[in-house]
């Protein structure tokens, strides 16, 4: 889209670090500021940055429109299923300790039971939602699923 | 010292907000809006809300500006 060498090289250098930072924020959401939404937004921003600074094909090579849509629905489904697992174990919907999820020592990485799982699902959902939003704006008007032929 | 920093940030925020509304070139307006989001993120941090600051820096500065640039590239740049 924008054929600028400085933008391309800078975003190629910076994008892995943005993605690492996003994953870090998602995984440490129960210990430090941030969480699924913040980390997912940062991760999705890096995917959009690649698609905007190179071209749409480079972004689709990272994550295709269909994959993003499936991940978007899958994140919400995983969130709901985590809540239902708590019901199956005899707690309320989205219950954590009363449903028997193991809680480790406070302050450790595995110290939150189901919260870590839920945060990861929220992160996947938010990151793929932002990517899908960008693809929907930037793509030409064609029905979903025609990208396989253009690849 | 922090008070002076906060007052400067708020003044710059107001200048950015007024400039976004007044400028004619749409790409310049998007860049000013992005600067507005960046200053807003620092102000959230100063107010003691680091997670909101992270979301503002990622969404308000990054993604919103990128989506608006995508919209401009689809349409005309002049108002």
């Amino acid at each position: 889209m924008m054929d600028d060498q400085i933008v391309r090289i800078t975003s190629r250098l910076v994008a892995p670090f943005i993605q690492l930072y996003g994953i870090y924020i998602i995984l440490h959401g129960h210990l430090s500021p941030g969480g699924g939404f913040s980390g997912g937004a940062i991760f999705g921003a890096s995917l959009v940055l690649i698609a905007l600074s190179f071209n749409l094909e480079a972004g689709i090579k990272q994550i295709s429109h269909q994959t993003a849509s499936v991940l978007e629905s899958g994140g919400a489904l995983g969130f709901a299923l985590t809540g239902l697992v708590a019901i199956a174990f005899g707690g309320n919907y989205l219950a954590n300790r009363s449903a028997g999820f193991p809680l480790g020592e406070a302050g450790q990485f595995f110290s939150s039971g189901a919260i870590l799982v839920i945060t990861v699902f929220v992160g996947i959902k938010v990151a793929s939602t932002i990517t899908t939003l960008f693809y929907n704006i930037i793509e030409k008007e064609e029905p979903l699923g025609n990208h396989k032929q253009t690849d | 010292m922090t008070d002076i920093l906060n007052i400067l940030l708020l003044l710059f925020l107001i200048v950015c907000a007024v400039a976004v509304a007044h400028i004619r070139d749409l790409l310049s307006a998007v860049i000013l809006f992005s600067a507005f989001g960046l200053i807003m993120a620092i102000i959230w941090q100063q107010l003691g809300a680091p997670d909101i600051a992270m979301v503002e820096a990622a969404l308000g500065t990054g993604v919103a500006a990128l989506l608006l640039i995508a919209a401009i590239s689809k349409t005309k740049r002049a108002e």
Side-chain angles (χ1 to χ4, degrees), chain A residues 49-72:
Chain A
L49 179 72
I50 290 171
L52 190 71
S53 57
F54 288 84
N55 46 28
L56 192 58
E57 283 73 38
I60 283 177
K61 207 183 288 176
Q62 297 275 326
I63 177 169
S64 74
H65 194 143
Q66 256 179 329
T67 316
S69 302
V70 168
L71 281 178
E72 189 184 354

Side-chain angles (χ1 to χ4, degrees), chain A residues 1 21 25 33-34 37-38 41-42 45 48-49 52 130 133-134 137-139, chain B residues 50-52 54-55 57-59 62-63 65-71 73-74:
Chain A
M1 205 185 318
Y21 182 59
I25 285 180
F37 190 81
S38 322
I42 293 168
V48 171
L49 179 72
L52 190 71
I130 287 170
L133 206 67
F134 179 72
I137 286 186
I138 206 68
E139 267 174 355
Chain B
D51 46 345
I52 307 292
M54 269 190 282
V55 174
L59 282 182
V63 177
L66 290 182
L67 289 178
L68 288 171
I69 289 173
S73 76
K74 283 260 163 185

